[in-house]
Amino acid sequence: MRESRQMPVPEGLDGMRVDAALSKLLGISRTVAAELAAAGDVEIDGAAVGKSARLAAGSWLHVTLPAPKEPLLPKAELVEGMDILYSDDDVIVVDKPVGVAAHPTVGWEGPTVVGGLAAAGFRISTSGPPERKGIVQRLDVGTSGVMVVAASERAYTLLKRAFRDRTVKKTYHALVQGHLDPLTGTIEAPIGRHPSAGWRFAVTSDGKHSVTHYKTIEAFREASLLEVHLETGRTHQIRVHFSALHHPCCGDPMYGADPQLSQRLGLVRQWLHAVTLGFHHPADGRYLEITSPYPADLQHALDVVREG
């Protein structure tokens, strides 16, 4: 069954080509986006458009995605820039680059963590759905940083339980617009599907319980660098919570980032990085804490905003 997505065009994508915009919005490749447009599956304000058509902010975009192929399995191909931060017989901890999905999804033809590990010769747990074997956590395609994958069946079971019971320490750094008041605090607001744009999320009265803790590391003229800890793990949680406070992540047009500031900082994705992951090893119980450095694009943006 084919899936339909409808959404208003965010201001940050005003003037962008259809294929490039769909790649950014939906996490699909530009090739797939172009094929959808060629097949008449992309409409703007009710009219079918080609891949090179330009979007206008506020216009209504309607996309019909291809039906999933069965089975949906990862392609074993090496992933450029994906470093192994730690590995043994039970766990593999990777430094996931931006533009890489955790596992295959409908319409995504780009690289995946599981495919990259398979191509590099790593054994991954056979537990879990076929397309998500070994996956115990996920990071968005547009989010970089440290991510753990289960290599053994024992690790899969225990790590899934640890994430469910919230005993895993997940630390993110986020560069958000403006200054938080207070500088350190907790955001407790339910998150659900956006009422008029199901492709993204929002704080909603009937959403799932969501808690985000933050503290300001450094404040600049236009933005603040935050340390963020998640008590819950909802989709887009950090991006949604700070957007709801009118402090979206820099470079994140989906959730209201200033496109001019994004351009000045050289950002083409949200400034959000999974810095540290701490967990008890599933084999012997020892505590591991693995850290990922900022990638070049985020470091550059931080340098620019720091210079003022």
Side-chain angles (χ1 to χ4, degrees):
M1 184 175 178
R2 303 187 72 188
E3 181 182 358
S4 180
R5 301 276 185 92
Q6 299 183 57
M7 65 204 78
V9 176
E11 275 198 31
L13 300 185
D14 185 55
M16 188 176 289
R17 283 172 53 115
V18 162
D19 52 358
L22 290 185
S23 178
K24 189 173 184 65
L25 276 174
L26 303 178
I28 61 177
S29 69
R30 289 185 67 160
T31 300
V32 169
E35 290 172 351
L36 290 174
D41 291 329
V42 181
E43 297 180 358
I44 297 178
D45 292 334
V49 294
K51 65 179 181 180
S52 58
R54 300 286 175 173
L55 297 181
S59 58
W60 199 255
L61 182 63
H62 183 187
V63 183
T64 304
L65 292 170
K69 298 175 183 178
E70 295 293 343
L72 189 64
L73 298 174
K75 294 183 290 185
E77 56 184 8
L78 291 172
V79 175
E80 184 178 355
M82 188 175 79
D83 295 330
I84 306 300
L85 300 174
Y86 176 89
S87 69
D88 58 29
D89 291 339
D90 290 287
V91 298
I92 309 162
V93 183
V94 305
D95 194 356
K96 188 190 85 65
V98 65
V100 178
H103 58 78
T105 56
V106 175
W108 177 254
E109 293 189 349
T112 64
V113 170
V114 288
L117 290 176
F122 286 89
R123 181 195 182 276
I124 303 172
S125 169
T126 57
S127 300
E131 75 279 10
R132 299 199 300 270
K133 290 188 182 300
I135 293 294
V136 293
Q137 67 156 146
R138 287 177 289 181
L139 293 177
D140 293 343
V141 170
T143 301
S144 54
V146 60
M147 176 180 159
V148 63
V149 178
S152 68
E153 281 60 50
R154 168 179 58 184
Y156 182 86
T157 299
L158 294 179
L159 286 174
K160 287 286 281 188
R161 183 183 305 162
F163 278 101
R164 183 197 66 199
D165 295 342
R166 303 172 187 169
T167 60
V168 178
K169 180 183 176 184
K170 297 175 284 185
T171 304
Y172 296 80
H173 282 184
L175 186 69
V176 303
Q177 294 179 193
H179 305 130
L180 275 294
D181 183 14
L183 296 177
T184 298
T186 295
I187 308 168
E188 188 168 357
I191 292 177
R193 290 279 181 183
H194 193 284
S196 62
W199 51 280
R200 61 188 177 101
F201 295 81
V203 170
T204 60
S205 59
D206 59 348
K208 293 181 179 179
H209 177 67
S210 308
V211 182
T212 302
H213 305 285
Y214 71 88
K215 69 176 181 180
T216 301
I217 300 173
E218 196 171 355
F220 312 103
R221 184 171 62 85
E222 297 174 285
S224 300
L225 180 64
L226 307 179
E227 179 179 299
V228 182
H229 294 274
L230 295 182
E231 191 171 311
T232 53
R234 308 304 176 204
T235 303
H236 298 180
Q237 179 171 323
I238 294 173
R239 301 164 66 190
V240 170
H241 269 172
F242 287 107
S243 176
L245 294 181
H246 307 291
H247 297 289
C249 292
C250 295
D252 191 2
M254 184 182 292
Y255 289 104
D258 177 357
Q260 291 184 330
L261 178 60
S262 300
Q263 184 176 23
R264 194 164 66 79
L265 299 183
L267 288 172
V268 293
R269 53 107 164 197
Q270 65 266 19
W271 204 114
L272 179 61
H273 187 65
V275 174
T276 305
L277 195 67
F279 58 93
H280 291 281
H281 195 284
D284 55 26
R286 63 194 162 94
Y287 186 72
L288 290 176
E289 193 165 278
I290 314 295
T291 299
S292 163
Y294 297 155
D297 63 332
L298 300 191
Q299 184 62 58
H300 170 76
L302 186 59
D303 291 342
V304 172
V305 78
R306 185 174 278 143
E307 291 168 0

